[in-house]
Amino acid sequence: MDMVLRNYVSVDLETTGLRPKYDKIIEIGAVKVENGQISGTWQSLVNPGRKLEEATVNLTGLTDGMLQNAPGIEEILPDFMKFSKDHVLLGHSLLFDYSFLKKAAVNAGYAFEAAGIDTLKLAR
């Protein structure tokens, strides 16, 4: 039986660090695939409300100047949730990204649940 995932949202985040409890999302990028074809893209820089550490700038290529006028996560999260609604999330080390999205949603008073497939586990 051919088991092909034809509907999903591939998502990737950049963050200020590795700990969802303390660190913040600074960019979300996503591609929606429906019936095996790209049906939409979604991207936003996110102002974390604090200065970036040098290590974060070096790793992500994002700077304080780039994020200065970006919206806060609470402003863009509803749009991302609408974009990804009812789709499986696909990502490399997905649990990392999902934990940041979940924490941001809880902090903003939203419920966020999604099934997911981790491409890192598939690659291993």
Side-chain angles (χ1 to χ4, degrees):
M1 178 190 218
D2 187 19
M3 300 278 299
V4 176
L5 182 63
R6 299 187 54 79
N7 298 303
Y8 58 90
V9 171
S10 180
V11 64
D12 187 43
L13 304 183
E14 298 298 340
T15 65
T16 61
L18 303 175
R19 305 161 304 166
K21 186 173 179 179
Y22 303 105
D23 293 308
K24 304 294 182 190
I25 296 169
I26 55 176
E27 184 177 26
I28 303 175
V31 176
K32 186 184 291 184
V33 174
E34 295 177 306
N35 297 315
Q37 300 292 318
I38 293 174
S39 64
T41 61
W42 195 97
Q43 186 275 336
S44 182
L45 295 175
V46 182
N47 187 330
R50 64 180 184 211
K51 297 276 186 198
L52 298 178
E53 294 181 14
E54 186 176 339
T56 301
V57 173
N58 291 337
L59 182 66
T60 66
L62 298 173
T63 65
D64 290 321
M66 295 167 73
L67 303 179
Q68 177 178 319
N69 295 319
I73 190 68
E74 64 283 346
E75 295 175 61
I76 58 121
L77 194 57
D79 288 337
F80 173 76
M81 290 170 58
K82 183 177 178 183
F83 178 81
S84 63
K85 184 178 173 88
D86 299 328
H87 283 72
V88 171
L89 295 182
L90 180 81
H92 206 66
S93 195
L94 182 64
L95 188 56
F96 176 84
D97 291 345
Y98 183 80
S99 63
F100 273 88
L101 290 167
K102 180 75 171 179
K103 180 70 172 163
V106 168
N107 287 349
Y110 299 110
F112 181 73
E113 299 292 332
I117 297 174
D118 189 340
T119 60
L120 178 61
K121 287 184 180 180
L122 292 174
R124 288 184 175 163

